[in-house]
Amino acid sequence: MQVAGIPAASEDSSTTSTDAGAPPQGVAPGPIARDAALRVGVLLPLSGAYAATGRELFQAVEMALFEVDAERVELLPRDTASDAETARTAFLELAAEGASLVIGPLFAWTTGAVVPEAVDRGIPVLALSNDISVADREAWMLGVHPRGEVHRILGHAIEEPGQRVGLIVPESDYGDAVAEAYQLAVPPRNRSGLIRYNDDSEPSDVAQQFVDTVRGSASRPGDAILIAARGNALRAIAAELAYRDVAPDQVRYLGLSSWRTSDLQGEPALEGGRFADLSEEAFRQFAERFRRIYGTSPSRTAALAYDASAVAANLAGIDPDTRIAWLQTPQGFRGLLGAFRLLTDGAVERSLDVYEVRRDGYSLLERAPARFAPTPQG
């Protein structure tokens, strides 16, 4: 591996080999490249307010290449400075230098400036944003989007056709994305109510509004409520719902990955609640290796940057004429935190675990499916 512009991690670092970024077992790798050299652009905020984040993500990119023993990849890091025009200019430089793939940018506004230029030039992009509104064909958003989390937790929780599911979401772009996914996943006859709240909303009012909307039917055994909240708002809303006889022993409380970052210990209403998230066990293993090499703790976004780099390493051995088809293989890839696949609309489908809230923390309830369905969904 060669890196232009930023020193590489030490090759004698103690790491564990991994097959992240490779197709699942039994999937043909595709034709071998005639010219195996692959120039990979990396667009990250390496200066300004987010420089520390950019540096961490670049370290994860390096780490992946060393762990998969990629020798035929040249990294071309460029600074976006968290600015849209700077990101666009940096991408054009990479295109002029012959980059065959770009990892990054990180933010939606920088990604949005790069994607049209990349699509016009036929250069695939593995961005680290989760805003699928800036995705396009051959420009994928590797960030975890609520759509996949909603699909996973509802698929796990809904066992009978007659089950009803309600939704409580914040008034925000995130809340809008969750609500859209909920409406796609749950038929109208199975929706027991959709309530939005804002920073000024009293949890008691939110809970009462939900109860009034469903007219008491939400307390039927087997029903569920998806609460797309976090932190104090999540704990308070759950407690107020339980107080109004939307009892957690009858109504399943469901959540998304935001639940993991909330301190839910000591809130009885949430015990037994379930949420979807990437593999925590796999992330801990990655974090230990990262700390051993770099001396700092990584974010979960660093694991996504690692996956993008591992995909690039495997792409180096694929014939240029078949690379896009290989990237879109329906079987997907073995990711660091679970399997994932790149869909034709620029979204990324991920395989997620289901966790249950316990009095002393969280426990793994159901592992992510080992394989995707034969054809992509959505």
Side-chain angles (χ1 to χ4, degrees):
M1 179 193 72
Q2 302 175 22
V3 182
I6 293 183
S10 172
E11 290 196 56
D12 60 5
S13 300
S14 175
T15 59
T16 302
S17 63
T18 177
D19 56 7
Q25 295 289 345
V27 177
I32 301 301
R34 293 183 296 273
D35 178 6
L38 185 73
R39 309 194 89 190
V40 178
V42 184
L43 291 172
L44 292 170
L46 301 174
S47 65
Y50 298 98
T53 298
R55 181 72 183 190
E56 172 200 298
L57 299 181
F58 187 75
Q59 288 171 335
V61 168
E62 286 186 305
M63 179 178 168
L65 294 185
F66 286 119
E67 290 196 344
V68 302
D69 194 23
E71 298 180 352
R72 297 175 296 186
V73 173
E74 180 183 2
L75 293 182
L76 304 173
R78 294 294 183 273
D79 182 17
T80 66
S82 305
D83 176 75
E85 185 56 33
T86 302
R88 177 180 173 276
T89 300
F91 170 80
L92 294 177
E93 292 176 0
L94 291 173
E97 293 179 34
S100 298
L101 175 76
V102 169
I103 296 172
L106 173 60
F107 301 113
W109 61 88
T110 48
T111 302
V114 166
V115 166
E117 302 288 356
V119 171
D120 285 348
R121 290 163 177 78
I123 300 175
V125 172
L126 298 177
L128 302 177
S129 169
N130 71 344
D131 188 345
I132 59 175
S133 70
V134 296
D136 206 327
R137 56 185 176 85
E138 302 173 17
W140 294 278
M141 304 298 112
L142 292 188
V144 181
H145 190 270
R147 183 171 72 181
E149 297 181 358
V150 171
H151 179 81
R152 171 65 167 129
I153 194 61
L154 293 183
H156 163 81
I158 299 177
E159 300 173 343
E160 299 177 3
Q163 282 183 278
R164 287 156 55 89
V165 182
L167 175 65
I168 298 177
V169 293
E171 292 179 347
S172 64
D173 291 342
Y174 170 77
D176 291 344
V178 173
E180 180 181 5
Y182 164 82
Q183 290 166 340
L184 288 172
V186 181
R189 66 180 180 276
N190 296 107
R191 301 173 195 164
S192 59
L194 193 165
I195 303 299
R196 298 177 185 269
Y197 69 91
N198 56 42
D199 292 340
D200 297 325
S201 300
E202 290 291 337
S204 57
D205 294 338
V206 175
Q208 188 61 52
Q209 186 180 0
F210 183 85
V211 172
D212 292 343
T213 299
V214 301
R215 295 182 175 87
S217 64
S219 59
R220 298 182 312 181
D223 282 351
I225 305 172
L226 176 56
I227 309 175
R230 71 176 72 224
N232 292 334
L234 171 59
R235 292 191 297 272
I237 290 171
E240 292 290 346
L241 285 169
Y243 177 74
R244 285 162 175 76
D245 295 327
V246 184
D249 59 343
Q250 291 190 332
V251 180
R252 178 74 66 189
Y253 289 4
L254 306 176
L256 308 178
S257 60
S258 59
W259 279 31
R260 186 182 295 282
T261 59
S262 305
D263 181 9
L264 305 184
Q265 297 183 35
E267 180 46 65
L270 287 167
E271 287 184 27
R274 299 176 182 181
F275 64 94
D277 198 5
L278 297 169
S279 171
E280 180 65 14
E281 178 183 357
F283 178 72
R284 282 199 299 267
Q285 294 173 358
F286 163 69
E288 288 174 3
R289 300 200 310 275
F290 192 96
R291 282 192 294 269
R292 198 159 56 237
I293 298 170
Y294 299 110
T296 58
S297 296
S299 65
R300 285 176 172 251
T301 306
L304 306 184
Y306 183 108
D307 278 349
S309 184
V311 167
N314 284 280
L315 187 67
I318 303 301
D319 189 288
D321 293 338
T322 63
R323 282 174 177 166
I324 295 301
W326 182 85
L327 286 169
Q328 293 179 331
T329 176
Q331 293 88 350
F333 301 95
R334 294 190 296 270
L336 194 65
L337 305 186
F340 66 97
R341 63 179 169 188
L342 311 180
L343 304 182
T344 56
D345 63 354
V348 176
E349 184 178 1
R350 292 189 173 276
S351 188
L352 301 170
D353 290 339
V354 173
Y355 294 86
E356 186 171 68
V357 180
R358 299 289 176 85
R359 184 170 300 178
D360 58 349
Y362 314 105
S363 65
L364 176 62
L365 188 66
E366 183 177 277
R367 290 192 181 277
R371 296 179 180 273
F372 288 110
T375 56
Q377 303 296 315

